Amino acid sequence: MSLRIVVCVKYVPDASGDRGFAEDLTTDREAVDGLLSELDEYAVEQALQIADEADDAEITVLTVGPEDARDALRKALSMGAHKAVHVEDDDLHGTDAMGTSLVLSKAIEHIGYDLVICGMASTDGVMGVLPAMVAERLGVPQVTLLSEISVSDGKVTGRRDGDAASEQLEAALPAVASVTDQSGEARYPSFKGIMAAKKKPVESLDLSDLGVEAEEVGLEGAWTKVEDATARPPRSAGTVVTDEGEGGKQLAEFLAGQKFI
């Protein structure tokens, strides 16, 4: 039986753009281009490496998001994933991490899995909690924030690096794992991969397909929401120190005044 790997990916606003909020204080996705979250590319890469080592493996990339989120799936498919699932529903607008974890877990059960791999966090929300939430909802072990990951003999193993030590983690499959940006550079899609991605299957699902009620997600079902937001003021001009022999003294006085020293 083939190893079934599901990689959760997210379509996020480009961090290099001018990101902001819409009128309802949800992320304004119309004002800036979107793309596959960079941190999720590492998850796709590690799934591909695990599949290369396995005798038989199938990688499904999964995303929850608007119509444009298919661009994130196409990127992952062009990297080498085999198929994709896109959960799209108007009632998902404003869904927080709790609601997203519910939808993801239901979609993962629908797909069927042995191993779920996620990035360490999204580049827009930067919460890093979804892998643990999904594992809890699925009722399976989690091995998160791995710098190295491998699968053999029905187990997923990996190394988690901390400030003072590294830990070796292991869990029996099925399981949920997340990988950091230290796990290995993600490959660039080749032209052949880009062309092949156009023919790979992308399944579309909505909330009714997953048995999720609209009241459980969206702004209405959110456990967390933004109550208020204020635009960041424009950056003021910095202090220019002209060095005419007293530059070091002036710099020290400035740093002391700001309580940096």
Side-chain angles (χ1 to χ4, degrees), residues 5 10 15 24 29 31 36 50 58 69 76 90 111 117 130 139 147 176-177 226 239 246 249:
I5 304 173
K10 189 176 183 182
D24 60 1
R29 297 184 178 277
L36 170 63
I50 291 171
E58 182 177 64
D90 290 341
I111 295 166
I117 305 180
L130 270 174
S147 300
V176 174
V226 178
T239 300
E246 297 289 325
K249 181 180 179 180

Side-chain angles (χ1 to χ4, degrees), residues 5-113:
I5 304 173
V6 178
V7 184
C8 298
V9 301
K10 189 176 183 182
Y11 180 74
V12 299
D14 189 341
S16 65
D18 187 14
R19 297 178 294 179
F21 292 104
E23 290 185 5
D24 60 1
L25 294 180
T26 60
T27 302
D28 186 356
R29 297 184 178 277
E30 301 297 327
V32 62
D33 292 334
L35 72 172
L36 170 63
S37 177
E38 180 183 358
L39 293 175
D40 290 340
E41 291 187 17
Y42 296 97
V44 176
E45 176 61 33
Q46 293 309 307
L48 292 169
Q49 292 191 26
I50 291 171
D52 288 341
E53 294 295 324
D55 293 333
D56 186 16
E58 182 177 64
I59 301 172
T60 303
V61 285
L62 166 65
T63 196
V64 177
E67 181 180 357
D68 289 345
R70 284 183 173 246
D71 290 345
L73 295 178
R74 292 189 188 97
K75 174 71 176 291
L77 291 172
S78 65
M79 290 172 67
H82 301 104
K83 60 181 183 177
V85 174
H86 180 199
V87 182
E88 179 187 6
D89 197 299
D90 290 341
D91 289 323
L92 285 167
H93 175 72
T95 301
D96 66 354
M98 286 292 288
T100 301
S101 69
L102 172 62
V103 176
L104 284 173
S105 63
K106 293 292 186 181
I108 291 166
E109 290 175 336
H110 170 84
I111 295 166
Y113 71 102

Side-chain angles (χ1 to χ4, degrees), residues 48-261:
L48 292 169
Q49 292 191 26
I50 291 171
D52 288 341
E53 294 295 324
D55 293 333
D56 186 16
E58 182 177 64
I59 301 172
T60 303
V61 285
L62 166 65
T63 196
V64 177
E67 181 180 357
D68 289 345
R70 284 183 173 246
D71 290 345
L73 295 178
R74 292 189 188 97
K75 174 71 176 291
L77 291 172
S78 65
M79 290 172 67
H82 301 104
K83 60 181 183 177
V85 174
H86 180 199
V87 182
E88 179 187 6
D89 197 299
D90 290 341
D91 289 323
L92 285 167
H93 175 72
T95 301
D96 66 354
M98 286 292 288
T100 301
S101 69
L102 172 62
V103 176
L104 284 173
S105 63
K106 293 292 186 181
I108 291 166
E109 290 175 336
H110 170 84
I111 295 166
Y113 71 102
D114 298 300
L115 176 63
V116 179
I117 305 180
C118 308
M120 61 188 289
S122 63
T123 54
D124 54 352
V126 201
M127 295 181 68
V129 297
L130 270 174
M133 288 182 168
V134 169
E136 176 68 18
R137 290 190 182 277
L138 293 174
V140 300
Q142 55 170 302
V143 283
T144 54
L145 301 176
L146 302 180
S147 300
E148 290 182 355
I149 183 173
S150 61
V151 174
S152 63
D153 301 325
K155 298 178 181 179
V156 55
T157 59
R159 190 188 77 237
R160 178 191 292 157
D161 295 324
D163 293 334
S166 294
E167 303 170 304
Q168 292 293 330
L169 305 178
E170 178 181 285
L173 300 178
V176 174
S178 71
V179 297
T180 72
D181 55 357
Q182 301 302 307
S183 58
E185 287 297 321
R187 68 193 66 185
Y188 289 103
S190 65
F191 177 75
K192 181 179 178 180
I194 294 171
M195 298 305 295
K198 297 179 180 180
K199 298 181 180 179
K200 294 179 179 178
V202 179
E203 181 180 7
S204 296
L205 301 173
D206 59 21
L207 293 180
S208 64
D209 294 322
L210 301 176
V212 177
E213 299 296 331
E215 295 77 16
E216 298 178 272
V217 296
L219 285 173
E220 183 178 348
W223 289 44
T224 59
K225 62 181 66 176
V226 178
E227 295 287 351
D228 184 52
T230 303
R232 182 174 57 191
R235 181 177 296 178
S236 58
T239 300
V240 178
V241 175
T242 302
D243 187 6
E244 295 179 352
E246 297 289 325
K249 181 180 179 180
Q250 293 180 57
L251 180 60
E253 290 174 349
F254 172 78
L255 293 174
Q258 298 296 317
K259 298 186 184 304
F260 292 141
I261 58 174

